[in-house]
Amino acid sequence: YGMLTAGVTLPVSGLINHLTGFEPLTTARHFWMTVHNVSGILFVIFAVNHTILNRHAVKNYLMQMKSRFITKEALSAMSVVAFIAVLFALHALIVA
């Protein structure tokens, strides 16, 4: 539940941090920056721990992936994620 909680907190705190990013460093902005940074660190810690605890399942999955090619659905999903990431990155360049 830790990774889920941190994963839900990240976009919420990131959005609030983005919205308050245009004002000087106030107590509220510092609070949301801290929440976002701590949530990101906790998410990574929980994700690494989750991977370690499930290493046998991950290993079996990776061994099965050797013989498979990337499916059309996976390629579509990667394309959508890349498009959205580039879109948000361009937004940051336009705002700056």
Side-chain angles (χ1 to χ4, degrees):
Y1 294 109
M3 191 165 66
L4 176 65
T5 303
V8 169
T9 305
L10 272 168
V12 173
S13 62
L15 178 63
I16 295 171
N17 196 22
H18 177 73
L19 294 174
T20 62
F22 299 106
E23 58 189 57
L25 189 58
T26 61
T27 305
R29 183 169 172 227
H30 187 265
F31 171 79
W32 286 109
M33 287 171 56
T34 303
V35 168
H36 188 72
N37 292 340
V38 170
S39 295
I41 291 167
L42 288 174
F43 184 83
V44 170
I45 290 170
F46 286 126
V48 168
N49 187 43
H50 176 76
T51 304
I52 290 169
L53 291 174
N54 293 290
R55 65 187 173 275
H56 298 296
V58 171
K59 181 181 175 187
N60 289 338
Y61 178 75
L62 291 175
M63 291 305 220
Q64 291 175 357
M65 287 299 294
K66 278 189 195 178
S67 62
R68 294 185 189 166
F69 292 103
I70 296 176
T71 63
K72 290 180 183 179
E73 291 83 9
L75 191 58
S76 296
M78 288 187 281
S79 298
V80 169
V81 169
F83 175 75
I84 292 172
V86 167
L87 188 66
F88 275 86
L90 290 176
H91 167 75
L93 293 175
I94 292 169
V95 171

